[in-house]
Amino acid sequence: MRILFQGDSITDVGRSRETNDMIGLGYPLLVKAALGKEEPAKYEFFNRGISGNRIVDLYARIKADIINLKPDVMSILIGVNDVWHEFSEAGPNGVEAEKYFKIYSMLIEEVKAALPNIKIMILEPFALQGTGNEKYWDVFFDEVKKRAKKAEELAEKYQLTFIPLQEKLEQAATTAPASYWLVDGVHPSAMGHELIKQEWLQYFKTIR
C-alpha cells in the first residue's frame, strides 16, 4: 500500500527532495514508524509537503506530486498559509475561503478521476495563539476557522475522511502552554506532531 502525505511546512518538516526514505521529522515520520513496525514491509511512504504552500500551490503540482505517484491513500493538510500569506510583509497573498474551497474541490475531483480507487483523508487546518500570529490573532484565527469549515464541507461533499484537529489542540493547550504543542501558534513541536500522528492513525484504521 502506497501512502502519500501532502501539505505545507507542517507536513514538510525538512523532508528530503532526493529520496523517499527521508520523509522529514514530523507526523509523517511518526506514522511511518508506527505502521512500519506494526506491519513490516506492507507500506510505502511518500512525503510531498512543501513549506509555504497554499491550496493554489498544491493544485499547481497535482500531476507531479500526486497523480504520478499513484498513491492508494493520501492525506492532505493545507490551509493555514492561505490565511498567513495575507499578512505577509511583502503584501497580502492569501487565498480567500471560497476560492480555497473551489480550488480544493478541483483538486479532489481531478485526483479521483485519475485515481478512482484512492482513499483520501482531509486534515483540519488549525492554529493556537503564538508568536507567529499574536499581532493579528483575532482576524487570523477567524480566517483559519473559515478554512477549517471549508475543509470539512469538502470532505462531506466528496465523502472523504475528515480528521478534526483544532479541538484536540485546544484541549491539549489546557494541560500545557500552547507553545508546548505549536511552537509559534502554527508549527507543531514534537509533541504536537505526536498528537497529529495519533489522530491520523485513528482515522486511517477505519479506511485501510
Side-chain angles (χ1 to χ4, degrees), residues 91-160:
N93 194 30
V95 178
E96 298 84 354
E98 290 300 328
K99 184 174 182 179
Y100 169 85
F101 182 80
K102 179 180 180 180
I103 301 298
Y104 213 153
S105 296
M106 290 168 57
L107 183 145
I108 295 300
E109 289 177 5
E110 292 181 30
V111 168
K112 287 173 68 68
L115 306 170
N117 296 320
I118 191 173
K119 295 178 180 178
I120 302 174
M121 303 195 299
I122 304 296
L123 280 68
E124 179 184 29
F126 55 79
L128 297 173
Q129 189 169 3
T131 56
N133 55 39
E134 59 190 0
K135 292 181 181 179
Y136 34 79
W137 169 247
D138 290 341
V139 176
F140 181 88
F141 187 51
D142 183 60
E143 290 297 322
V144 170
K145 287 191 292 185
K146 289 179 182 178
R147 306 313 184 280
K149 180 63 175 174
K150 291 299 182 183
E152 184 174 13
E153 290 176 4
L154 180 97
E156 292 173 357
K157 177 180 178 180
Y158 295 103
Q159 297 183 309
L160 309 176

Side-chain angles (χ1 to χ4, degrees), residues 162-182:
F162 181 72
I163 304 180
L165 294 171
Q166 182 66 42
E167 185 176 352
K168 292 291 183 180
L169 285 162
E170 290 175 356
Q171 291 172 351
T174 66
T175 66
S179 59
Y180 183 84
W181 306 100
L182 303 180

